[in-house]
């Protein structure tokens, strides 16, 4: 929370980070904060108290927020890959192509698609009645596990969620792969050794985040039902809802000199303000 909050603060207040890459990074950190606050508080409560019950409304709300934030983050990562492609392959036209208005529209598209897609996934998860022992073998309400508890035939809902995962996960992944394939072709063809190293370092941060989020989400939502189980599901659920949001600020910050410099300046301003108030 502290690291993501600091990234949000410096990307929105530091004039030296006034570029599309940091604009997207600030929104990515905001999505990570949403992920953390959606799943961790309830998990911490259940670790402390003996009563592990969750109301139907709480489960419904939590699942919608996870859907909304997860889908928005998948699409935002694809837009970030496109931003890197334009910056590296079309540097002279970068400011024109990735204008402030375009960036706002792309981020708004990610959020809007997440909000709308979350409604569809929520309906698919709760369309059947629940009449069994509603025991969720996970630390939050995850769709495949909740659907398995319903009384009706879960196959239709699972197939719809699988089809939606193809759209939400594989389509952005195709855009990411195409973007980085063209980036790789471009830098191998014309960049110097130092330029290649800097470009690879910048892109490696984004690819690390993509691999963490996409692989865990694909295992959770695109695997056959027979392969699901508490021991198999929990590690991947933990990875994309908690570990990835925790790692994102570390991955982006410590591999980026501009981010480190902005963090030092921000912490210096905060320390100075505290000294003056004393």
């Amino acid at each position: 929370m502290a690291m993501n909050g600091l990234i949000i603060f410096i990307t929105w207040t530091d004039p030296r980070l006034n570029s599309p890459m940091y604009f997207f990074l600030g929104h990515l950190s905001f999505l990570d904060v949403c992920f953390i606050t959606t799943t961790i508080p309830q998990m911490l409560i259940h670790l402390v108290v003996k009563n592990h019950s969750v109301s139907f409304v709480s489960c419904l709300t939590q699942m919608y927020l996870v859907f909304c934030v997860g889908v928005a983050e998948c699409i935002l990562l694809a837009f970030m890959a496109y931003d890197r492609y334009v910056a590296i392959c079309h540097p002279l036209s970068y400011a024109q192509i990735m204008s402030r208005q375009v960036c706002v529209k792309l981020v708004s598209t990610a959020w809007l698609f997440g909000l709308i897609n979350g409604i569809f996934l929520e309906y698919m998860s709760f369309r059947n009645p629940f009449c069994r022992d509603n025991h969720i073998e996970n630390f939050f309400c995850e769709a495949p596990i909740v659907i398995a508890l319903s009384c009706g035939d879960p196959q239709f809902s699972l197939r719809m969620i699988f089809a939606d995962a193809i759209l939400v996960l594989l389509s952005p992944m195709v855009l990411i792969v195409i973007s980085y394939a063209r980036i790789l072709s471009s830098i191998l063809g014309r960049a110097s050794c130092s330029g290649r190293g800097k470009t690879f370092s910048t892109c490696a941060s984004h690819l690390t985040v993509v691999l963490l989020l996409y692989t865990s989400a694909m295992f959770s939502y695109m695997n056959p039902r027979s392969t699901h189980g508490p021991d198999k599901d929990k590690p991947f659920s933990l990875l994309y809802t908690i570990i990835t949001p925790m790692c994102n600020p570390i991955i982006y910050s410590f591999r980026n000199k501009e981010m480190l410099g902005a963090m030092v300046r921000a912490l210096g301003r905060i320390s100075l303000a505290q000294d003056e108030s004393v």
Side-chain angles (χ1 to χ4, degrees):
M1 284 290 290
M3 288 290 290
N4 279 299
L6 182 59
I7 288 178
I8 294 170
F9 175 75
I10 62 176
T11 53
W12 291 358
T13 59
D14 196 318
R16 302 185 190 184
L17 301 181
N18 188 23
S19 70
M21 181 176 75
Y22 297 111
F23 176 77
F24 290 131
L25 181 57
H27 283 274
L28 179 67
S29 292
F30 182 74
L31 286 169
D32 286 338
V33 169
C34 294
F35 245 144
I36 294 168
T37 53
T38 300
T39 55
I40 287 185
Q42 182 177 307
M43 181 186 71
L44 294 177
I45 292 172
H46 287 172
L47 289 174
V48 175
V49 301
K50 293 182 179 180
N51 182 14
H52 293 177
S53 63
V54 179
S55 68
F56 181 80
V57 175
S58 297
C59 187
L60 193 78
T61 304
Q62 185 185 57
M63 189 181 295
Y64 175 76
L65 292 174
V66 169
F67 280 145
C68 175
V69 175
V71 170
E73 186 159 332
C74 288
I75 296 173
L76 183 63
L77 287 172
F79 290 153
M80 291 175 73
Y82 176 73
D83 170 68
R84 291 298 83 211
Y85 158 71
V86 176
I88 294 168
C89 298
H90 303 282
L92 298 179
S93 305
Y94 179 63
Q96 182 180 0
I97 296 174
M98 299 300 296
S99 63
R100 186 72 173 185
Q101 292 82 359
V102 171
C103 293
V104 170
K105 288 180 181 178
L106 291 176
V107 170
S108 300
T109 300
W111 274 105
L112 183 62
F113 195 83
L115 291 168
I116 296 173
N117 194 256
I119 296 173
F120 169 75
L121 294 173
E122 190 88 333
Y123 170 74
M124 284 295 114
S125 301
F126 291 93
R127 59 186 294 271
N128 292 322
F130 293 89
C131 54
R132 301 175 188 171
D133 180 21
N134 299 329
H135 181 71
I136 299 174
E137 278 288 345
N138 210 329
F139 61 92
F140 75 103
C141 295
E142 192 171 31
I145 299 174
V146 172
I147 291 173
L149 298 175
S150 62
C151 298
D153 183 12
Q155 291 304 317
F156 178 75
S157 295
L158 290 173
R159 283 196 294 268
M160 288 296 100
I161 289 181
F162 179 84
D164 186 81
I166 293 176
L167 174 66
V168 172
L169 295 174
L170 294 188
S171 298
M173 179 65 80
V174 169
L175 179 59
I176 291 171
V177 170
I178 292 174
S179 297
Y180 279 102
R182 293 191 175 183
I183 288 172
L184 185 63
S185 175
S186 177
I187 62 176
L188 291 178
R190 66 187 184 191
S192 62
C193 292
S194 59
R196 289 176 187 174
K198 184 178 180 180
T199 304
F200 277 126
S201 177
T202 303
C203 296
S205 302
H206 183 254
L207 283 173
T208 304
V209 173
V210 168
L211 288 174
L212 282 173
L213 179 66
Y214 275 74
T215 53
S216 55
M218 284 179 179
F219 182 90
S220 297
Y221 293 97
M222 297 187 69
N223 257 11
R225 186 186 176 194
S226 59
T227 62
H228 286 280
D231 295 334
K232 296 179 181 179
D233 289 338
K234 285 179 184 177
F236 288 94
S237 301
L238 189 73
L239 186 61
Y240 79 84
T241 57
I242 297 177
I243 303 300
T244 300
M246 183 183 69
C247 292
N248 282 354
I250 299 173
I251 292 169
Y252 279 108
S253 302
F254 292 111
R255 296 182 63 89
N256 190 312
K257 292 181 180 180
E258 291 180 350
M259 283 295 298
L260 286 175
M263 285 184 176
V264 171
R265 291 192 297 272
L267 293 174
R269 289 195 301 269
I270 294 171
S271 178
L272 182 62
Q274 290 176 343
D275 293 339
E276 290 177 352
S277 63
V278 173

